[in-house]
Amino acid sequence: MISHFDTTANYTLEDDSVILRPLQADDLENLLPFAINEPTTWQYSNVSAKYEDGMRRYVNDALKALAEGREYPFIVIDKQTGEFAGSTRYYDIQPKLNSLQLGYTWYGEKFRGTGLNKHCKFLLLQFAFEELNMMRVEFRADARNERSIAAMKSIGCQVEGILRSNMPLEDGGRRDSIVLSILKDEWESGVKERLKGKL
């Protein structure tokens, strides 16, 4: 069965700890403090949102990709504090292949290591596999980004390999990208319950 992903729908995902709602143009103001005060957040990203110009471009590009049906960006809200915490998105959405990628994920410094990421990933994976009928969710990261790779492994991702010299870096040179994934049968046969137990 082909996935029924509708990029024009208003998907809001929520549990006791976090709200993920579609990114909007006026969220620029909510995310700008991170871009100005925590520019190293995007050290390993090929799409940087540091400084005001970077975040403005980041939000505009995300909304353009949403309008074109290519991506579905979310803003992350920490329900415990009521604060905006970061952003994440579905991208490379391929309904006919029942596949998508989950990434462009970043959080402000105070929200890292708090468990917020696991709540976000649980909601996003549950929605992808159980509502959108995805058979595969893929993740990628700069192969040097040990923190991000460890976080992906901790939620149940399996390493598939390295794409050498996969994409250019903002400051010059090229990066190797590590590819990880979770399959629907893995989600159903243990990944879901293990991740749920860590929340």
Side-chain angles (χ1 to χ4, degrees), residues 14 26 37 39-40 64 74 91 131 159 191 193 197:
E14 181 176 1
D26 59 7
N37 302 319
T40 58
K64 180 182 178 184
F74 293 91
Y91 70 107
E131 300 297 328
V159 175
V191 170
E193 289 309 310

Side-chain angles (χ1 to χ4, degrees), residues 135-190:
M135 303 301 292
R136 168 189 171 83
V137 175
E138 182 177 314
F139 302 75
R140 295 187 184 187
D142 188 314
R144 301 167 299 170
N145 191 346
E146 295 178 3
R147 184 183 72 221
S148 180
I149 294 167
M152 289 186 282
K153 289 180 178 179
S154 76
I155 66 168
C157 291
Q158 298 294 314
V159 175
E160 296 189 342
I162 301 290
L163 299 175
R164 298 180 301 157
S165 192
N166 175 234
M167 60 179 60
L169 295 168
E170 183 185 39
D171 298 326
R174 296 182 65 84
R175 83 173 203 189
D176 293 344
S177 296
I178 188 169
V179 179
L180 308 93
S181 68
I182 298 176
L183 307 181
K184 185 171 186 175
D185 63 344
E186 294 169 342
W187 175 253
E188 294 172 341
S189 64

Side-chain angles (χ1 to χ4, degrees), residues 52-198:
E52 183 170 353
D53 289 347
M55 184 58 77
R56 190 177 303 279
R57 183 175 60 250
Y58 185 91
V59 170
N60 289 341
D61 289 350
L63 294 177
K64 180 182 178 184
L66 172 62
E68 294 172 353
R70 297 184 290 108
E71 300 179 357
Y72 199 94
F74 293 91
I75 191 165
V76 179
I77 302 168
D78 183 340
K79 284 182 72 172
Q80 306 304 310
T81 65
E83 295 176 284
F84 294 94
S87 184
T88 189
R89 75 183 77 166
Y90 294 128
Y91 70 107
D92 190 22
I93 301 164
Q94 301 187 53
K96 292 182 180 180
L97 301 180
N98 300 82
S99 175
L100 56 71
Q101 291 194 51
L102 176 51
Y104 291 88
T105 303
W106 60 268
Y107 305 103
E109 291 175 1
K110 71 176 285 185
F111 303 100
R112 299 173 201 163
T114 65
L116 188 74
N117 181 56
K118 285 185 172 61
H119 282 269
C120 289
K121 291 298 192 293
F122 184 88
L123 289 169
L124 289 161
L125 288 165
Q126 180 175 248
F127 190 70
F129 288 127
E130 299 177 18
E131 300 297 328
L132 299 177
N133 193 40
M134 293 296 169
M135 303 301 292
R136 168 189 171 83
V137 175
E138 182 177 314
F139 302 75
R140 295 187 184 187
D142 188 314
R144 301 167 299 170
N145 191 346
E146 295 178 3
R147 184 183 72 221
S148 180
I149 294 167
M152 289 186 282
K153 289 180 178 179
S154 76
I155 66 168
C157 291
Q158 298 294 314
V159 175
E160 296 189 342
I162 301 290
L163 299 175
R164 298 180 301 157
S165 192
N166 175 234
M167 60 179 60
L169 295 168
E170 183 185 39
D171 298 326
R174 296 182 65 84
R175 83 173 203 189
D176 293 344
S177 296
I178 188 169
V179 179
L180 308 93
S181 68
I182 298 176
L183 307 181
K184 185 171 186 175
D185 63 344
E186 294 169 342
W187 175 253
E188 294 172 341
S189 64
V191 170
K192 178 181 180 177
E193 289 309 310
R194 286 194 296 273
L195 180 53
K196 193 173 183 178
K198 295 179 179 181

